[in-house]
Amino acid sequence: GTFHYNGCNIPIHGVAGDQQSALFGQACFEDGMVKNTYGTGCFLLMNTGKKMNLSQNGLLTTIACSTTKSINYALEGSVFVAGALIQWLRDKLGIIKNASEVENLAKSVDSNGGITFIPALSGLAAPYWDPYAQGTIFGITRGTENGHIARAALESIALRTRDIIIEMEKDAGIKFSSLKVDGGASLNN
């Protein structure tokens, strides 16, 4: 195609979506390499190379960028709520004033204190695709502290990432070899 701008015809030789661009930008060129963008939500892509895997486990199949002229593919899974969960802790629950405080709050306790957080504030995306799922906090006792809730919230983001990687491994028939990260929430250790 051609893009017309100020009387000039500019040829378009390629188009890349933001997540496919991030897969390329994170140098995930080999089969099994996974990248995750931790933003408001999470967006995981696994390079599956030249093999197009149609997911049997709730993921999407997409074309990946390649360093050669051949077509490469990827599996993609989304988490609707990641950084948005930290915003909820700040704006609705009020246990932090700034998103950057959540890491220290989570480190203020040695464990999650038995708290399990299901971060389905907007339903659950891959691999469950349940738009009616609701967020839930299990295990609250009189001993529950804000640090336990913050820690369980961060763990829930990691566990939702794990859910998707497990399904990616099943669909691709390979173990993931690395997880590269980007996005604002990736600053949190």
Side-chain angles (χ1 to χ4, degrees), residues 45-60:
L45 271 76
M46 173 189 267
N47 186 328
T48 59
K50 294 176 186 15
K51 183 178 177 191
M52 182 174 77
N53 296 287
L54 296 178
S55 179
Q56 303 300 306
N57 298 291
L59 304 175
L60 306 173

Side-chain angles (χ1 to χ4, degrees), residues 100-120:
S100 60
E101 295 173 11
V102 74
E103 183 174 357
N104 285 336
L105 181 57
K107 286 180 176 179
S108 72
V109 293
D110 293 330
S111 72
N112 63 23
I115 300 295
T116 300
F117 206 123
I118 308 297

Side-chain angles (χ1 to χ4, degrees), residues 114-133:
I115 300 295
T116 300
F117 206 123
I118 308 297
L121 305 184
S122 301
L124 284 173
Y128 308 108
W129 297 110
D130 183 349
Y132 304 107

